[in-house]
């Protein structure tokens, strides 16, 4: 009798902890994925001496912050510049344009998306934002924001801008700014959605560069003190609250840039 009860109890216990083969495979897959994240969360690329710091996941992509480390050799910097030049040519679809010295010129803050389960390297970037610190007014200036053609329509540019603005808030920057071609309506619409406003219209800003549809540009800026909900920036119009007087000044300076 006692033996029978023990057998029944053992069967009941096993039934409560049993899992399906599919569940076991899912657990193993998640464990492998977590190990991959942990392995690459602070990885360093020897050929460029760039450190990759894992930030977050988004759909089928992973967001990393790219940090050029101190003590890089001339060769390492040259390799980083070469690969970034190749990426920018491809993402902007400007094969005849050169992007020299991008690490030195605009490598103080780099954010990039990579497909999951790919090697984290400049050679595998799918979307990129590069900015530099403007120390004279404690601002971050966006030099480049681009997404490879085959990875567009996934919201990667919006996510990059959101992460960039949040990072600028964390580091106590006063504002973020950039220049945009006056005919780039899709980019202008995105920047306006993120709370950026035009503070200047510059005729001939892209003088001599025929890769742009026009030579003119808007100078866009976002005063970070106006951000009310950092997580919703670029997603909700209520995330940024621009004082009425300040907004009126923007419209006065750039009436043609008030809509995307």
């Amino acid at each position: 009798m006692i033996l029978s009860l023990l057998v029944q109890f053992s069967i009941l216990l096993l039934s409560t902890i049993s899992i399906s083969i599919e569940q076991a495979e899912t657990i193993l897959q998640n464990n492998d994925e977590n190990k991959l994240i942990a392995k690459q969360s602070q990885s360093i690329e020897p050929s460029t001496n760039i450190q990759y710091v894992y930030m977050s996941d988004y759909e089928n992509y992973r967001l990393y912050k790219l940090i050029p480390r101190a003590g890089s050799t001339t060769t390492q910097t040259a390799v980083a510049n070469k690969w970034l030049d190749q990426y920018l040519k491809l993402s902007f679809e400007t094969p005849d344009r050169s992007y020299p010295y991008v690490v030195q010129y605009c490598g103080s803050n780099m954010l990039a998306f990579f497909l999951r389960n790919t090697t984290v390297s400049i050679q595998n970037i799918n979307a990129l934002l590069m900015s530099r610190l403007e120390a004279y007014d404690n601002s971050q200036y966006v030099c480049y924001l681009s997404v490879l053609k085959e990875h567009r329509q996934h919201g990667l540019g919006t996510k990059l801008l959101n992460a960039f603005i949040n990072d600028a808030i964390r580091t106590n920057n006063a504002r973020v700014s950039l220049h945009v071609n006056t005919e780039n309506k899709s980019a202008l619409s995105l920047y306006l959605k993120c709370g950026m406003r035009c503070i200047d219209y510059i005729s001939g800003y892209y003088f001599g560069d025929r890769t742009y549809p026009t030579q003119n540009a808007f100078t866009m800026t976002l005063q970070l003190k106006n951000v009310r909900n950092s997580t919703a920036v670029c997603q909700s119009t209520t995330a940024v609250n621009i004082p009425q007087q300040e907004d009126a000044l923007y419209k006065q300076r750039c009436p043609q840039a008030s809509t995307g």
Side-chain angles (χ1 to χ4, degrees):
M1 181 68 177
I2 295 175
L3 179 61
S4 176
L5 288 174
L6 286 173
V7 171
Q8 292 180 28
F9 176 75
S10 299
I11 294 173
L12 178 63
L13 180 62
L14 287 172
S15 66
T16 60
I17 63 174
S18 64
I19 59 175
S20 67
I21 293 176
E22 290 80 6
Q23 288 173 318
E25 289 176 344
T26 300
I27 291 173
L28 289 173
Q29 182 179 353
N30 290 339
N31 285 340
D32 289 341
E33 195 168 290
N34 290 335
K35 288 178 182 178
L36 179 64
I37 294 175
K39 182 179 179 181
Q40 296 187 338
S41 63
Q42 293 287 334
S43 62
I44 297 172
E45 189 171 38
S47 57
T48 63
N49 200 30
I50 287 179
Q51 182 178 13
Y52 296 82
V53 180
Y54 168 78
M55 296 182 69
S56 63
D57 282 1
Y58 172 66
E59 293 188 353
N60 199 35
Y61 300 89
R62 290 218 162 98
L63 177 64
Y64 282 81
K65 185 168 187 174
L66 284 57
I67 305 173
R69 301 174 73 231
S72 296
T73 65
T74 302
T75 301
Q76 287 172 323
T77 303
V79 170
N81 280 329
K82 176 184 176 182
W83 288 349
L84 287 169
D85 176 76
Q86 292 174 353
Y87 166 83
L88 292 170
K89 285 180 178 178
L90 189 61
S91 62
F92 285 125
E93 301 178 54
T94 52
D96 298 326
R97 184 181 175 188
S98 179
Y99 301 85
Y101 309 113
V102 286
V103 173
Q104 298 95 318
Y105 175 66
C106 204
S108 61
N109 191 2
M110 294 186 282
L111 300 173
F113 273 112
F114 301 85
L115 279 171
R116 295 190 189 199
N117 300 320
T118 60
T119 303
V120 179
S121 166
I122 293 179
Q123 297 180 90
N124 294 326
I125 290 175
N126 304 126
L128 174 70
L129 185 152
M130 299 183 70
S131 74
R132 66 170 182 264
L133 174 66
E134 301 284 12
Y136 72 94
D137 66 350
N138 187 31
S139 68
Q140 286 283 344
Y141 177 77
V142 178
C143 306
Y144 305 108
L145 172 59
S146 65
V147 181
L148 290 178
K149 186 175 183 178
E150 60 269 31
H151 297 279
R152 293 170 190 166
Q153 307 304 317
H154 291 284
L156 297 183
T158 301
K159 288 294 182 180
L160 280 175
L161 266 176
N162 177 275
F164 167 70
I165 291 169
N166 275 272
D167 196 49
I169 291 173
R170 282 192 297 269
T171 53
N172 295 314
N173 293 126
R175 64 188 61 82
V176 298
S177 63
L178 53 82
H179 287 95
V180 59
N181 192 279
T182 55
E183 295 300 315
N184 193 342
K185 302 301 182 183
S186 60
L188 180 59
S189 178
L190 171 60
Y191 301 148
L192 290 170
K193 186 173 69 171
C194 292
M196 305 188 79
R197 295 294 182 268
C198 177
I199 59 171
D200 196 14
Y201 167 82
I202 306 177
S203 177
Y205 178 79
Y206 300 103
F207 177 76
D209 191 339
R210 297 301 174 183
T211 60
Y212 291 95
T214 179
Q215 305 293 288
N216 309 320
F218 295 128
T219 304
M220 308 291 292
T221 191
L222 167 61
Q223 302 290 339
L224 296 178
K225 65 181 180 181
N226 292 334
V227 176
R228 294 294 176 264
N229 184 350
S230 59
T231 58
V233 170
C234 302
Q235 302 171 50
S236 171
T237 55
T238 61
V240 178
N241 182 21
I242 303 175
Q244 186 175 359
Q245 186 174 0
E246 183 180 328
D247 199 39
L249 181 60
Y250 294 143
K251 292 177 180 178
Q252 180 181 351
R253 289 180 175 179
C254 301
Q256 64 274 61
S258 58
T259 59

